[in-house]
């Protein structure tokens, strides 16, 4: 087992005290666990964190957007809790460097994979809940999502990312986006992986429980990358 990096910078970025053992668990991807004797990994914490994230974001949207109807609220919530949004949060706090990955994931760029980054954010929220209680976990969620909540352009793209990407590509004189989708896992629990390309160049990837969600994740990540390139 390799020497663990210092977690001080990560804890500082989170702004919350998390039990060190729970933090290590939250940072342990299943690929690392399997390569080290089947030790516990972060998927149970991820399950918990997903619920905490959804509740905190739902309440925030409901209370701060009183004039917005249910359908629009649902779209905005989906944007804030998407794997692309959570991966963006993860990159902002330098989370990738701290994740414990197996050799295979390490060699294939696992530290930059949106799905792994997003899942780890949710696991950390679960660890925060168990360490500091529901109110501190809720406040952590709000601190993390606030920059995305305040970005109306990103909200628009997140609600219809494939259309937004196609419009942005046309504006930039790029080809129409093309999607390739593969799937992994058993029939009852498939995970889909999408890659979007422009002019034969792979731009971004996404994953999800359906082909549609995988393509939307890839489109939103591509839209984000192209938008930043214009700045």
């Amino acid at each position: 087992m390799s020497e663990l990096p210092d977690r001080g910078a990560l804890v500082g970025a989170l702004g919350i005290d998390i039990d060190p053992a729970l933090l290590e668990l939250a940072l342990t991807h299943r690929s690392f666990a399997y390569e080290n004797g089947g030790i516990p990994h972060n998927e149970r914490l991820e399950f918990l964190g997903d619920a905490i994230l959804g509740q905190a974001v739902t309440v925030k949207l409901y209370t701060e957007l009183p004039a917005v109807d249910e359908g629009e609220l649902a779209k905005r919530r989906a944007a804030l809790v998407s794997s692309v949004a959570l991966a963006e949060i993860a990159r902002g706090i330098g989370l990738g460097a701290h994740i414990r990955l197996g050799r295979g994931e390490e060699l294939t760029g696992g530290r930059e994979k949106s799905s792994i980054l997003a899942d780890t954010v949710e696991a950390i929220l679960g660890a925060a809940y168990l360490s500091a209680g529901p109110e501190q976990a809720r406040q952590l969620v709000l601190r993390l999502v606030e920059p995305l909540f305040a970005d109306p352009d990103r909200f628009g793209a997140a609600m219809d990312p494939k259309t937004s990407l196609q419009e942005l590509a046309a504006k930039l004189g790029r080809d129409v986006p093309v999607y390739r989708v593969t799937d992994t896992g058993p029939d009852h629990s498939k995970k889909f992986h999408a890659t979007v390309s422009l002019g034969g160049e792979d731009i971004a990837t996404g994953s999800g429980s359906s082909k549609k969600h995988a393509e939307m994740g890839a489109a939103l990540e591509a839209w984000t990358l192209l938008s930043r390139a214009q700045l």
Side-chain angles (χ1 to χ4, degrees):
M1 189 178 298
S2 60
E3 182 179 351
L4 300 177
D6 177 32
R7 306 303 193 202
L10 177 60
V11 172
L14 293 171
I16 184 172
D17 289 330
I18 299 178
D19 177 83
L22 281 174
L23 181 59
E24 290 306 315
L25 180 58
L27 295 170
T28 302
H29 188 257
R30 66 173 178 266
S31 62
F32 181 94
Y34 292 164
E35 290 183 12
N36 287 272
I39 64 174
H41 53 73
N42 64 8
E43 290 183 1
R44 280 175 52 83
L45 283 177
E46 176 194 335
F47 172 79
L48 176 60
D50 176 68
I52 295 160
L53 171 70
Q55 181 184 49
V57 168
T58 299
V59 172
K60 177 180 177 65
L61 290 169
Y62 181 88
T63 55
E64 295 192 12
L65 301 174
V68 175
D69 65 26
E70 178 188 3
E72 181 78 2
L73 288 174
K75 291 179 180 178
R76 294 189 175 220
R77 178 176 60 192
L80 287 174
V81 303
S82 71
S83 62
V84 176
L86 294 180
E88 187 171 326
I89 289 169
R91 293 183 180 105
I93 61 175
L95 181 59
H98 294 273
I99 301 174
R100 301 203 293 180
L101 293 173
R103 179 174 173 77
E105 285 290 356
E106 189 79 66
L107 293 175
T108 56
R111 295 187 187 282
E112 280 301 311
K113 289 182 180 177
S114 292
S115 58
I116 291 177
L117 290 169
D119 291 348
T120 307
V121 170
E122 291 181 336
I124 284 176
L125 294 176
Y129 179 93
L130 295 176
S131 297
E135 179 57 23
Q136 289 295 318
R138 184 187 70 85
Q139 291 182 17
L140 175 58
V141 171
L142 299 184
R143 285 199 304 275
L144 292 175
V145 304
E146 183 59 38
L148 304 181
F149 185 84
D151 185 350
D153 288 339
R154 197 180 188 291
F155 258 136
M159 290 175 201
D160 190 357
K162 294 182 72 172
T163 299
S164 296
L165 175 60
Q166 186 166 332
E167 291 174 349
L168 180 57
K171 177 182 175 182
L172 297 175
R174 305 289 294 270
D175 291 345
V176 174
V178 175
Y179 298 86
R180 302 191 311 275
V181 181
T182 59
D183 61 75
T184 57
D187 289 341
H188 68 276
S189 182
K190 280 190 179 297
K191 191 161 190 178
F192 294 83
H193 310 275
T195 299
V196 59
S197 61
L198 296 174
E201 177 190 359
D202 291 347
I203 301 297
T205 61
S207 61
S209 58
S210 69
K211 177 181 176 181
K212 177 182 177 181
H213 287 155
E215 289 183 345
M216 288 175 64
L220 185 53
E221 184 155 322
W223 180 90
T224 301
L225 292 171
L226 292 179
S227 297
R228 287 175 178 169
Q230 295 184 89
L231 298 179

